[in-house]
Amino acid sequence: MGASVAYHLTRLGITDIVLVEREAQLAAGSTGRNAGGVRHQFSTEQNVRLSLESIRSLERFEEEFGVSIDLHQDGYLFLLSRDDDVELFRASVDLQRNLGVPTEWLTPAQAARLAPGASVDGVIAATFCAKDGVADPNGVTMGFVRAARAAGAEIVRGSEVTGIDVVNGRVAGVRTTRGSISAPMVVNAAGPWAGRVGRMAGLEVPVSPLRRHIFFAQPAAGASWDDAPHRGQVPATRILVIDFTTSFYFHRDGGQLLFGMGDPAERAGFDTTVRWDFLPEVVEAGVARLPALADAVVSHAWAGLYEMTPDAMPIIGPAPDCDGFYVIAGFSGHGFQHSPAAGRVLADLVTGRDPGLDVSPFALERFAAGTQAAERHVV
Ligand SMILES: Cc1cc2nc3c(=O)[nH]c(=O)nc-3n(C[C@H](O)[C@H](O)[C@H](O)COP(=O)(O)OP(=O)(O)OC[C@H]3O[C@@H](n4cnc5c(N)ncnc54)[C@H](O)[C@@H]3O)c2cc1C
């Protein structure tokens, strides 16, 4: 988000920018640990609009930024096994189609044909959008950063923001482990840590960190998913399949299979240690949808942090009561894919332009006002 905002500000002629990153590398937070999924299939109009703009931008990204982002639009397939979920998706699919997204309803048999190897036992309906897909988060971050730097932005790595100076209700600068920077505008793009950074300015930014795992599997030593006897056990494309009941999902990642699932027992916290004791639960849910997982070898895993807000909608915009302070955070597990549009929207708001969509569902004030329209396709 920070990289996207920096880039979009430079496009509007603001080039006196410092992007401050605590870690030695960029994309070291949630962005470097995500599954790379990009989808239009959301339940709120604002998220669908962010997806439409962002995915259009990703389709042109390599040409525009000169970096590879490994975009594969092989679709997202949601498998639904409960009547209530079908009802929820009915409204979402109508919304998506009204906004121009080509989401389709599929029968379980059609879904099985699209995702060879997936089991559709108990599935009553499925939705598929062929324009959804997966891409490389590091490539996208580097594309934004390089373009921002070329336009004059300064990128400082290994520097932690430790304080924010606010004078008479106006932001005046940031203090970092490598010195102070005076600034009339500060953007909090600290992902799961946005609550901490908000508190430095005396603000409540309700973003809580939630650990999520990604596991990688292969067939037994030396074998490939693409050759006999494993061919057909997992899809050959990068289609992303989600069992909406359990939140188990998988997609091909080159020669490997990437999979994950939310843990309803996980509590908010910054710990990103891999909990290997959670793997059996994931595999049990996973085998029901992808039988090949039963004999697969899990080679490695990592955990990262979702950045949850109470309504699973992002915060994009100015902070009330602190002039010059902006927030772009709380994407609740789907921020990589929304980074192109969200950064553009924030840059418009910072420069007083019309962002071209209703931003009230993104406003920080909504939590106090109790006017949330929650995103319900959180997986
Ligand atoms: C396992 C997993 C799977 C996911 N899958 C997907 C997916 O398929 N598709 C999708 O769109 N999204 C996915 N996400 C969510 C996505 O990764 C996040 O929404 C997105 O990366 C948020 O980007 P960000 O820039 O807001 O935060 P981050 O990428 O976390 O960036 C915040 C940066 O701020 C830095 N920082 C924090 N505090 C300070 C400080 N005090 N001083 C200086 N720097 C600081 C951090 O080091 C970090 O680099 C997934 C997340 C996880 C964990």
Side-chain angles (χ1 to χ4, degrees):
M1 289 300 163
S4 175
V5 173
Y7 164 71
H8 284 97
L9 283 171
T10 62
R11 281 197 53 160
L12 298 177
I14 299 191
T15 55
D16 190 7
I17 297 168
V18 187
L19 177 64
V20 182
E21 169 56 54
R22 175 181 59 195
E23 304 297 332
Q25 289 178 342
L26 298 168
S30 294
T31 301
R33 297 186 181 208
N34 84 66
V38 301
R39 62 175 152 117
H40 295 83
Q41 297 188 63
F42 286 95
S43 71
T44 62
E45 177 174 340
Q46 269 66 19
N47 274 340
V48 178
R49 287 190 186 281
L50 290 180
S51 295
L52 278 163
E53 180 178 336
S54 295
I55 294 172
R56 270 198 302 268
S57 160
L58 295 176
E59 287 167 349
R60 300 187 307 261
F61 204 90
E62 295 197 351
E63 201 181 318
E64 229 170 294
F65 292 84
V67 293
S68 156
I69 63 162
D70 209 20
L71 174 67
H72 294 260
Q73 286 173 293
D74 294 332
Y76 256 66
L77 178 67
F78 279 94
L79 302 176
L80 310 176
S81 311
R82 298 178 298 210
D83 292 335
D84 286 355
D85 293 339
V86 175
E87 272 313 297
L88 165 66
F89 273 66
R90 216 176 283 292
S92 310
V93 171
D94 287 350
L95 168 78
Q96 291 155 23
R97 293 181 70 92
N98 284 337
L99 292 170
V101 177
T103 311
E104 302 167 58
W105 281 103
L106 302 182
T107 62
Q110 288 169 321
R113 276 197 293 279
L114 268 183
S119 160
V120 292
D121 280 1
V123 170
I124 51 178
T127 66
F128 178 71
C129 175
K131 301 283 275 179
D132 296 348
V134 292
D136 170 24
N138 285 295
V140 173
T141 310
M142 293 316 149
F144 283 138
V145 165
R146 278 194 211 167
R149 191 192 281 129
E154 189 184 343
I155 317 296
V156 181
R157 292 176 290 166
S159 173
E160 180 168 3
V161 172
T162 52
I164 294 178
D165 296 323
V166 180
V167 179
N168 297 331
R170 230 214 111 80
V171 78
V174 299
R175 274 168 279 140
T176 80
T177 46
R178 292 175 62 180
S180 294
I181 305 168
S182 77
M185 287 181 188
V186 171
V187 176
N188 175 357
W193 301 272
R196 283 186 180 169
V197 172
R199 277 193 293 282
M200 294 178 195
L203 293 164
E204 177 57 28
V205 177
V207 172
S208 29
L210 191 67
R211 173 168 44 189
R212 293 281 300 223
H213 292 82
I214 286 182
F215 299 95
F216 292 85
Q218 285 154 312
S224 156
W225 293 118
D226 294 316
D227 299 326
H230 302 290
R231 191 184 307 129
Q233 291 185 342
V234 304
T237 68
R238 298 203 185 196
I239 185 171
L240 197 151
V241 181
I242 302 181
D243 177 46
F244 196 66
T245 306
T246 57
S247 84
F248 170 80
Y249 69 93
F250 66 88
H251 70 76
R252 283 289 297 270
D253 189 50
Q256 309 197 79
L257 181 76
L258 179 160
F259 65 98
M261 186 175 88
D263 178 2
E266 188 74 52
R267 294 291 163 258
F270 289 100
D271 188 0
T272 53
T273 314
V274 171
R275 269 189 45 220
W276 288 104
D277 61 339
F278 177 50
L279 178 60
E281 215 177 299
V282 183
V283 170
E284 190 186 331
V287 165
R289 283 288 161 249
L290 189 67
L293 205 53
D295 301 318
V297 178
V298 175
S299 56
H300 62 289
W302 66 63
L305 299 171
Y306 270 20
E307 357 75 283
M308 302 304 297
T309 61
D311 57 6
M313 288 290 284
I315 304 165
I316 311 173
D321 309 325
C322 187
D323 290 347
F325 192 79
Y326 293 82
V327 180
I328 181 163
F331 286 80
S332 305
H334 40 261
F336 157 59
Q337 62 200 285
H338 283 165
S339 61
R344 194 274 303 162
V345 167
L346 190 73
D348 280 345
L349 293 174
V350 167
T351 52
R353 285 174 169 73
D354 175 3
L357 82 169
D358 175 12
V359 290
S360 59
F362 303 144
L364 184 55
E365 304 84 298
R366 72 183 187 268
F367 301 106
T371 51
Q372 291 114 300
E375 172 57 53
R376 300 182 66 195
H377 292 195
V378 180
V379 284

Coordinates of all heavy atoms in Angstrom, one line a residue, residues 1 3-4 7 25-28 30-36 38 57-71 134-149 336-337 339-340:
M1 N 0.8 -1.2 0.0 CA 0.0 0.0 0.0 C 0.9 1.2 0.0 O 0.6 2.2 -0.7 CB -0.9 0.0 1.2 CG -2.0 -1.0 1.2 SD -3.1 -0.7 -0.3 CE -3.9 -2.3 -0.3
A3 N 3.9 1.5 -1.2 CA 4.5 1.7 -2.5 C 3.5 2.2 -3.5 O 3.8 3.1 -4.3 CB 5.0 0.3 -2.9
S4 N 2.3 1.7 -3.5 CA 1.3 2.2 -4.4 C 0.9 3.6 -4.2 O 0.8 4.4 -5.2 CB 0.0 1.3 -4.3 OG -1.0 1.8 -5.1
Y7 N 3.8 5.8 -5.5 CA 3.7 5.9 -6.9 C 2.6 6.8 -7.4 O 2.8 7.7 -8.3 CB 3.6 4.5 -7.5 CG 3.2 4.5 -9.0 CD1 4.1 4.9 -10.0 CD2 1.8 4.2 -9.4 CE1 3.7 5.0 -11.3 CE2 1.5 4.3 -10.7 CZ 2.4 4.7 -11.6 OH 2.0 4.9 -13.0
Q25 N 14.2 -5.2 3.9 CA 13.6 -5.4 2.5 C 12.2 -4.9 2.4 O 11.5 -4.9 3.4 CB 13.6 -6.9 2.2 CG 14.9 -7.6 2.0 CD 14.8 -9.1 1.8 OE1 13.7 -9.6 2.1 NE2 15.8 -9.6 1.3
L26 N 11.9 -4.5 1.2 CA 10.5 -4.1 0.9 C 9.6 -5.4 0.8 O 10.1 -6.5 0.6 CB 10.4 -3.3 -0.3 CG 11.2 -2.0 -0.3 CD1 11.4 -1.3 -1.6 CD2 10.6 -1.0 0.7
A27 N 8.3 -5.2 1.0 CA 7.4 -6.3 1.0 C 7.7 -7.4 2.0 O 7.5 -8.6 1.8 CB 7.3 -6.9 -0.4
A28 N 8.2 -6.9 3.1 CA 8.6 -7.9 4.2 C 7.4 -8.1 5.1 O 7.5 -9.0 6.0 CB 9.8 -7.3 5.0
S30 N 3.0 -8.3 5.4 CA 2.0 -9.2 4.9 C 2.1 -9.4 3.4 O 1.9 -10.5 2.9 CB 0.6 -8.6 5.1 OG 0.3 -8.6 6.5
T31 N 2.5 -8.4 2.7 CA 2.6 -8.5 1.2 C 3.5 -9.6 0.7 O 3.2 -10.3 -0.2 CB 3.0 -7.1 0.6 OG1 2.1 -6.1 1.0 CG2 3.1 -7.1 -0.9
G32 N 4.6 -9.8 1.4 CA 5.6 -10.8 1.0 C 5.1 -12.2 1.5 O 5.8 -13.2 1.2
R33 N 4.0 -12.3 2.1 CA 3.6 -13.6 2.7 C 2.2 -14.0 2.2 O 1.6 -14.9 2.8 CB 3.6 -13.6 4.2 CG 5.0 -13.3 4.7 CD 5.0 -13.4 6.2 NE 6.4 -13.1 6.7 CZ 6.9 -13.6 7.8 NH1 6.2 -14.3 8.5 NH2 8.1 -13.3 8.1
N34 N 1.8 -13.4 1.1 CA 0.4 -13.7 0.7 C 0.3 -14.7 -0.4 O 1.3 -15.0 -1.1 CB -0.5 -12.4 0.6 CG -0.3 -11.8 -0.7 OD1 -0.7 -12.3 -1.7 ND2 0.2 -10.6 -0.7
A35 N -0.9 -15.1 -0.7 CA -1.1 -16.2 -1.7 C -1.2 -15.6 -3.1 O -1.4 -16.4 -4.0 CB -2.4 -16.9 -1.3
G36 N -1.2 -14.3 -3.2 CA -1.2 -13.7 -4.6 C -2.6 -13.8 -5.3 O -2.6 -13.5 -6.5
V38 N -6.1 -12.7 -6.8 CA -6.8 -11.5 -7.2 C -8.2 -11.9 -7.7 O -8.3 -12.8 -8.5 CB -6.0 -10.7 -8.2 CG1 -4.6 -10.3 -7.7 CG2 -5.9 -11.4 -9.6
S57 N -5.6 -2.8 -13.9 CA -4.2 -2.3 -13.8 C -3.2 -3.4 -13.8 O -2.1 -3.3 -14.5 CB -4.2 -1.4 -12.5 OG -2.9 -1.3 -12.1
L58 N -3.5 -4.5 -13.1 CA -2.5 -5.6 -13.1 C -2.4 -6.2 -14.6 O -1.3 -6.7 -14.9 CB -3.0 -6.7 -12.2 CG -3.0 -6.3 -10.7 CD1 -3.5 -7.4 -9.8 CD2 -1.6 -5.9 -10.2
E59 N -3.5 -6.2 -15.3 CA -3.4 -6.7 -16.7 C -2.4 -5.9 -17.6 O -1.8 -6.5 -18.5 CB -4.8 -6.7 -17.3 CG -5.7 -7.8 -16.8 CD -7.2 -7.6 -17.2 OE1 -7.6 -6.6 -17.7 OE2 -8.0 -8.6 -16.9
R60 N -2.3 -4.7 -17.2 CA -1.4 -3.8 -18.0 C 0.0 -3.6 -17.3 O 0.8 -2.9 -17.8 CB -2.0 -2.4 -18.2 CG -3.3 -2.3 -18.9 CD -3.6 -0.8 -19.1 NE -3.6 0.0 -17.8 CZ -4.6 0.3 -17.1 NH1 -5.8 0.0 -17.4 NH2 -4.4 1.1 -16.0
F61 N 0.1 -4.2 -16.2 CA 1.2 -3.8 -15.3 C 2.6 -4.0 -15.9 O 3.5 -3.2 -15.8 CB 1.1 -4.6 -13.9 CG 1.8 -4.0 -12.8 CD1 1.1 -3.1 -12.0 CD2 3.1 -4.2 -12.5 CE1 1.7 -2.5 -10.9 CE2 3.7 -3.6 -11.4 CZ 3.0 -2.8 -10.6
E62 N 2.8 -5.2 -16.5 CA 4.1 -5.6 -17.0 C 4.6 -4.6 -18.1 O 5.7 -4.1 -18.1 CB 4.2 -7.0 -17.5 CG 3.9 -8.0 -16.4 CD 4.3 -9.4 -16.8 OE1 4.6 -9.7 -18.0 OE2 4.3 -10.2 -15.9
E63 N 3.6 -4.2 -18.9 CA 3.9 -3.3 -20.0 C 4.2 -1.9 -19.4 O 5.1 -1.2 -19.8 CB 2.6 -3.2 -20.9 CG 2.8 -2.7 -22.3 CD 1.5 -2.7 -23.0 OE1 0.7 -3.6 -22.8 OE2 1.2 -1.7 -23.6
E64 N 3.4 -1.5 -18.4 CA 3.5 -0.1 -17.9 C 4.7 0.0 -17.0 O 5.4 1.1 -17.0 CB 2.3 0.2 -17.1 CG 1.6 1.5 -17.4 CD 0.3 1.6 -16.7 OE1 -0.6 0.8 -17.1 OE2 0.1 2.5 -15.8
F65 N 5.0 -1.0 -16.2 CA 6.1 -0.9 -15.2 C 7.4 -1.6 -15.5 O 8.4 -1.5 -14.8 CB 5.6 -1.3 -13.8 CG 4.5 -0.4 -13.2 CD1 3.2 -0.6 -13.6 CD2 4.9 0.6 -12.3 CE1 2.2 0.3 -13.0 CE2 3.9 1.4 -11.8 CZ 2.6 1.3 -12.2
G66 N 7.3 -2.5 -16.5 CA 8.5 -3.2 -17.0 C 9.0 -4.2 -16.0 O 10.2 -4.5 -16.0
V67 N 8.1 -4.7 -15.1 CA 8.5 -5.8 -14.2 C 7.5 -7.0 -14.5 O 6.4 -6.8 -14.8 CB 8.4 -5.4 -12.7 CG1 9.5 -4.4 -12.4 CG2 7.1 -5.0 -12.3
S68 N 8.0 -8.2 -14.2 CA 7.2 -9.4 -14.4 C 6.3 -9.5 -13.1 O 6.8 -9.4 -12.0 CB 8.1 -10.6 -14.6 OG 7.5 -11.7 -14.2
I69 N 5.0 -9.8 -13.3 CA 4.2 -10.0 -12.1 C 3.5 -11.4 -12.2 O 2.7 -11.7 -11.3 CB 3.2 -8.9 -11.9 CG1 2.2 -8.8 -13.0 CG2 3.8 -7.6 -11.6 CD1 0.9 -8.1 -12.6
D70 N 3.8 -12.2 -13.2 CA 3.3 -13.6 -13.2 C 1.8 -13.7 -13.0 O 1.4 -14.6 -12.3 CB 4.1 -14.4 -12.1 CG 4.2 -15.9 -12.5 OD1 4.2 -16.2 -13.7 OD2 4.5 -16.7 -11.6
L71 N 1.1 -12.8 -13.7 CA -0.4 -12.9 -13.6 C -1.0 -14.0 -14.4 O -0.7 -14.1 -15.6 CB -0.9 -11.5 -14.1 CG -2.5 -11.4 -14.2 CD1 -3.1 -11.5 -12.8 CD2 -2.9 -10.1 -14.9
V134 N -4.2 -15.2 -10.0 CA -3.1 -15.1 -9.1 C -2.0 -14.3 -9.7 O -1.8 -14.3 -11.0 CB -2.5 -16.4 -8.6 CG1 -3.5 -17.2 -7.7 CG2 -2.1 -17.3 -9.7
A135 N -1.2 -13.6 -8.9 CA -0.1 -12.8 -9.4 C 1.0 -12.7 -8.3 O 0.8 -13.1 -7.2 CB -0.5 -11.4 -9.8
D136 N 2.1 -12.1 -8.7 CA 3.3 -12.1 -7.7 C 3.3 -10.8 -7.0 O 3.6 -9.7 -7.6 CB 4.6 -12.3 -8.5 CG 5.8 -12.0 -7.7 OD1 5.7 -12.1 -6.5 OD2 6.8 -11.7 -8.3
P137 N 3.1 -10.8 -5.7 CA 3.0 -9.6 -4.9 C 4.4 -8.8 -4.8 O 4.4 -7.6 -4.8 CB 2.7 -10.1 -3.4 CG 2.1 -11.4 -3.6 CD 2.7 -12.0 -4.9
N138 N 5.5 -9.5 -4.9 CA 6.8 -8.9 -4.8 C 7.0 -8.1 -6.1 O 7.4 -6.9 -6.1 CB 7.9 -9.9 -4.7 CG 8.0 -10.4 -3.3 OD1 8.2 -9.6 -2.4 ND2 7.7 -11.6 -3.1
G139 N 6.6 -8.6 -7.3 CA 6.7 -8.0 -8.5 C 5.9 -6.7 -8.5 O 6.4 -5.6 -9.0
V140 N 4.7 -6.7 -8.0 CA 3.8 -5.5 -8.0 C 4.4 -4.5 -7.1 O 4.5 -3.3 -7.5 CB 2.4 -5.9 -7.6 CG1 1.5 -4.7 -7.4 CG2 1.8 -6.8 -8.6
T141 N 4.9 -4.9 -6.0 CA 5.5 -3.9 -5.0 C 6.7 -3.2 -5.7 O 6.9 -2.0 -5.7 CB 6.0 -4.6 -3.7 OG1 4.9 -5.4 -3.2 CG2 6.4 -3.6 -2.7
M142 N 7.6 -4.1 -6.3 CA 8.8 -3.5 -6.9 C 8.4 -2.6 -8.1 O 9.1 -1.6 -8.3 CB 9.7 -4.6 -7.4 CG 10.3 -5.4 -6.3 SD 10.9 -4.4 -5.0 CE 10.7 -5.4 -3.6
G143 N 7.4 -2.9 -8.8 CA 7.0 -2.1 -9.9 C 6.6 -0.7 -9.4 O 7.1 0.3 -10.0
F144 N 5.8 -0.6 -8.4 CA 5.4 0.7 -7.8 C 6.6 1.4 -7.3 O 6.8 2.6 -7.5 CB 4.4 0.5 -6.7 CG 3.0 0.1 -7.2 CD1 2.2 -0.8 -6.5 CD2 2.4 0.8 -8.2 CE1 0.9 -1.1 -7.0 CE2 1.1 0.6 -8.7 CZ 0.4 -0.4 -8.0
V145 N 7.5 0.7 -6.6 CA 8.6 1.3 -5.9 C 9.6 1.9 -6.9 O 10.0 3.1 -6.8 CB 9.3 0.3 -5.0 CG1 10.7 0.8 -4.6 CG2 8.5 0.1 -3.7
R146 N 9.9 1.1 -7.9 CA 10.8 1.6 -8.9 C 10.3 2.8 -9.7 O 11.0 3.8 -9.9 CB 11.1 0.5 -10.0 CG 12.1 -0.5 -9.5 CD 12.5 -1.3 -10.8 NE 12.9 -2.6 -10.3 CZ 13.0 -3.6 -11.2 NH1 12.9 -3.5 -12.5 NH2 13.4 -4.8 -10.7
A147 N 9.0 2.8 -10.0 CA 8.4 3.9 -10.7 C 8.4 5.2 -9.8 O 8.7 6.3 -10.2 CB 7.0 3.6 -11.2
A148 N 8.1 4.9 -8.5 CA 8.0 6.1 -7.6 C 9.4 6.7 -7.4 O 9.6 7.9 -7.4 CB 7.5 5.6 -6.2
R149 N 10.4 5.8 -7.3 CA 11.8 6.3 -7.1 C 12.3 7.0 -8.3 O 12.9 8.1 -8.2 CB 12.7 5.1 -6.8 CG 14.1 5.5 -6.3 CD 15.1 4.4 -6.4 NE 14.9 3.5 -5.2 CZ 14.8 2.2 -5.2 NH1 14.8 1.6 -6.4 NH2 14.7 1.5 -4.2
F336 N -3.4 -7.2 -1.1 CA -2.5 -7.2 -2.3 C -3.2 -6.8 -3.5 O -2.8 -5.9 -4.3 CB -1.8 -8.5 -2.4 CG -1.3 -8.8 -3.8 CD1 -0.3 -8.0 -4.3 CD2 -1.8 -9.9 -4.5 CE1 0.1 -8.2 -5.6 CE2 -1.3 -10.1 -5.8 CZ -0.4 -9.2 -6.4
Q337 N -4.3 -7.5 -3.8 CA -5.0 -7.3 -5.0 C -5.6 -5.9 -5.2 O -5.9 -5.5 -6.3 CB -6.1 -8.4 -5.2 CG -7.2 -8.3 -4.1 CD -7.9 -9.6 -4.0 OE1 -8.7 -9.9 -4.8 NE2 -7.6 -10.4 -3.0
S339 N -4.3 -3.1 -4.1 CA -3.3 -2.1 -3.9 C -3.3 -1.1 -5.1 O -3.1 0.1 -4.8 CB -1.9 -2.6 -3.7 OG -1.5 -3.4 -4.8
P340 N -3.4 -1.5 -6.4 CA -3.4 -0.5 -7.4 C -4.5 0.6 -7.2 O -4.2 1.8 -7.3 CB -3.6 -1.3 -8.7 CG -3.1 -2.6 -8.4 CD -3.5 -2.9 -6.9

